[in-house]
Amino acid sequence: MAHRFNLRVYALIIDEQNRILLSDEFRFGHFFTKFPGGGVEANEGIIDALKRELQEELSAEMLDSSFFYFNDFYQNSAFRKEDSLVVFYYLVKIKSDFQLPKGDDLPLGSKDPSDFERFRWVPLKGFVEELLTFPLDREAIKKLIAFH
């Protein structure tokens, strides 16, 4: 049973070639693929968290965002079973000259040298939702493809 809420925020970033940005990560002994973003910290708003996460992960400045989706149903965390996730997804615009970070970065806060974080563009056309690890991300991509 969940004992606390875990607020998360993720960016749905689509480039001029109609590709979406994904993050491949290895943390906590698990490989997973998700959207850029992460946890909302104490005393932080959702948009401020989104801006911070994009700066930390991508060294990217958010130019614009619009709310897209959040889960209005119970979803427990894959990493902390006692957490109930509330996840916000935003359509995000960043500078068109954005360059993907090079190599495998050590995720912020990780001290394990086997951990990594890398980014890639994936075409929306023919996107296979199973590329994404987490159920809420899969739900978000289904809605995005139907909307787009």
Side-chain angles (χ1 to χ4, degrees):
M1 173 174 266
H3 297 286
R4 67 181 202 151
F5 289 103
N6 183 338
L7 299 179
R8 319 281 305 163
V9 62
Y10 293 102
L12 304 173
I13 302 170
I14 301 170
D15 70 2
E16 298 84 20
Q17 288 91 36
N18 207 31
R19 301 177 300 176
I20 192 157
L21 188 61
L22 298 182
S23 173
D24 295 315
E25 300 183 26
F26 186 83
R27 293 187 83 171
F28 318 113
H30 300 281
F31 177 83
F32 50 93
T33 299
K34 65 178 194 58
F35 298 111
V40 178
E41 296 178 356
N43 303 312
E44 185 176 48
I46 301 295
I47 295 297
D48 289 335
L50 184 58
K51 289 178 182 176
R52 176 186 50 74
E53 286 286 344
L54 292 175
Q55 186 62 46
E56 288 174 0
E57 291 184 5
L58 301 169
S59 298
E61 180 183 342
M62 186 170 75
L63 299 177
D64 190 26
S65 68
S66 59
F67 173 77
F68 182 72
Y69 169 72
F70 85 101
N71 63 301
D72 57 358
F73 53 88
Y74 174 76
Q75 178 67 53
N76 72 303
S77 170
F79 299 110
R80 285 189 232 143
K81 297 299 181 191
E82 69 276 9
D83 284 8
S84 175
L85 296 178
V86 180
V87 182
F88 298 87
Y89 296 88
Y90 283 82
L91 292 168
V92 171
K93 298 246 186 278
I94 55 177
K95 290 185 178 181
S96 60
D97 62 351
F98 166 76
Q99 297 292 314
L100 289 178
K102 303 283 189 249
D104 295 342
D105 292 331
L106 190 65
L108 190 67
S110 175
K111 294 175 180 40
D112 185 339
S114 67
D115 287 357
F116 69 81
E117 179 176 48
R118 73 174 75 103
F119 298 90
R120 63 185 162 123
W121 293 105
V122 176
L124 271 177
K125 183 176 179 154
F127 191 96
V128 177
E129 69 185 64
E130 287 77 19
L131 283 175
L132 295 163
T133 302
F134 304 115
L136 293 177
D137 290 349
R138 290 178 179 183
E139 191 65 30
I141 197 71
K142 281 193 284 192
K143 291 181 182 307
L144 181 66
I145 289 168
F147 172 77
H148 209 260

